[in-house]
């Protein structure tokens, strides 16, 4: 039974990379594009300093995420090329929460304490207020008729800054929080918001249903931006 439901190792690794990092289908977003904080779940180092209660909770969430991935193991090689992968990574979406919890705990273990979290949230707020509208406008002016190219560009930026944030994490739990961690972590979160903006307001009309918005305010915003940036 295991042989029947498990793909060959090479196909499995390729499928995991496509699903979590770089989808095959143009315009799709990988798991860590949608939920960048989940990436830090892969960087959890060691078991020192973890209470027995936290260890049990982390083990539970890790098991939950692993079971979601295993449930789709046979489909992983072709998953990132599937039309259902657009606009989000919906097949593995039940793994968002458990991996997010582990990723946040990994950041805590890396020294991102309450003060660091506060600074990270303030940084994200300013980035969202100042840079998010600018990123969206620039993308529409430069590649307004190519939403798939916009998503690919944002995905590349997300990967670069996730790597930068990973480099700021110390090898073990530090005595003091790393000074750069609170400023590097919000940047991939900003790019995730930028991806959502592209998907919500550019991907919609490319679907056969039209994905009409039911909330009037959002619908008006949708019409305004298509008046400014028509396809």
């Amino acid at each position: 039974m295991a042989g029947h439901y498990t793909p060959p190792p090479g196909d499995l690794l390729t499928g995991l990379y496509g699903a979590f990092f770089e989808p095959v289908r143009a315009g799709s977003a990988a798991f860590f594009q949608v939920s960048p904080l989940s990436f830090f779940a892969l960087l959890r180092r060691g078991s020192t300093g973890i209470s027995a209660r936290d260890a049990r909770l982390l083990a539970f969430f890790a098991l939950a995420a692993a079971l979601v991935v295993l449930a789709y193991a046979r489909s992983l090689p072709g998953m990132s090329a599937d039309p259902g992968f657009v606009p989000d990574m919906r097949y593995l979406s039940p793994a968002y929460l458990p991996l997010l919890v582990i990723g946040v705990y990994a950041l805590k273990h890396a020294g991102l304490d309450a003060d660091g979290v506060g600074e990270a949230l303030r940084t994200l707020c300013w980035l969202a207020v100042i840079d998010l509208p600018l990123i969206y406008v620039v993308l529409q002016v430069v590649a307004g008729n190519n939403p798939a190219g916009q998503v690919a560009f944002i995905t590349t930026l997300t990967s670069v800054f996730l790597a930068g944030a990973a480099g700021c994490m110390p090898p073990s739990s530090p005595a003091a929080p790393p000074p750069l961690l609170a400023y590097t972590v919000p940047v991939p979160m900003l790019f995730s918001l930028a991806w959502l903006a592209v998907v919500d307001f550019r991907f919609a009309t490319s679907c056969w249903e039209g994905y009409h918005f039911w909330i009037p305010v959002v619908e008006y915003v949708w019409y305004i931006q298509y008046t400014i940036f028509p396809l």
Side-chain angles (χ1 to χ4, degrees), residues 171-185:
S172 60
S173 183
L180 293 179
L181 197 57
Y183 300 103
T184 53
V185 168

Side-chain angles (χ1 to χ4, degrees), residues 159-197:
S159 300
V160 170
F161 279 91
L162 278 176
C168 293
M169 294 183 67
S172 60
S173 183
L180 293 179
L181 197 57
Y183 300 103
T184 53
V185 168
V187 180
M189 298 171 66
L190 172 72
F191 292 138
S192 180
L193 293 174
W195 170 80
L196 286 171

Side-chain angles (χ1 to χ4, degrees), residues 7-185:
D11 293 341
L12 180 60
L13 293 176
T14 301
L16 286 171
Y17 176 77
F20 282 88
F21 291 95
E22 188 176 1
V24 174
R25 188 177 178 85
S28 299
F31 191 101
F32 293 135
Q33 173 67 61
V34 181
S35 181
L37 290 186
S38 298
F39 173 75
F40 296 98
L42 304 181
L43 306 179
R44 180 71 185 88
R45 299 185 178 102
S47 58
T48 57
I50 302 179
S51 67
R53 175 179 175 273
D54 288 347
R56 289 193 296 269
L57 287 174
L58 291 174
F60 170 77
F61 285 119
L63 178 61
L67 289 176
V68 172
V69 175
L70 287 175
Y72 287 100
R74 189 70 177 176
S75 304
L76 276 172
M79 185 181 291
S80 65
D82 193 296
F85 215 65
V86 182
D88 57 10
M89 215 303 307
R90 64 188 66 185
Y91 296 109
L92 300 181
S93 57
Y96 285 154
L97 179 59
L99 283 180
L100 179 62
V101 171
I102 300 174
V104 171
Y105 194 92
L107 289 173
K108 175 186 175 183
H109 191 70
L112 196 64
D113 56 8
D115 292 336
V117 170
E119 187 62 33
L121 291 176
R122 284 191 293 271
T123 302
L124 177 61
C125 179
W126 283 112
L127 287 174
V129 170
I130 298 173
D131 293 335
L132 186 58
L134 181 61
I135 290 173
Y136 181 73
V137 170
V138 169
L139 286 175
Q140 305 319 310
V141 172
V142 175
N145 294 324
N146 185 14
Q150 296 179 44
V151 172
F153 178 67
I154 294 173
T155 299
T156 301
L157 289 178
T158 302
S159 300
V160 170
F161 279 91
L162 278 176
C168 293
M169 294 183 67
S172 60
S173 183
L180 293 179
L181 197 57
Y183 300 103
T184 53
V185 168

Side-chain angles (χ1 to χ4, degrees), residues 205-227:
T205 53
S206 66
C207 296
W208 58 90
E209 306 95 339
Y211 275 174
H212 299 297
F213 294 101
W214 293 348
I215 302 175
V217 174
V218 178
E219 187 175 11
Y220 285 130
V221 173
W222 189 59
Y223 286 134
I224 289 171
Q225 69 87 35
Y226 269 103
T227 301

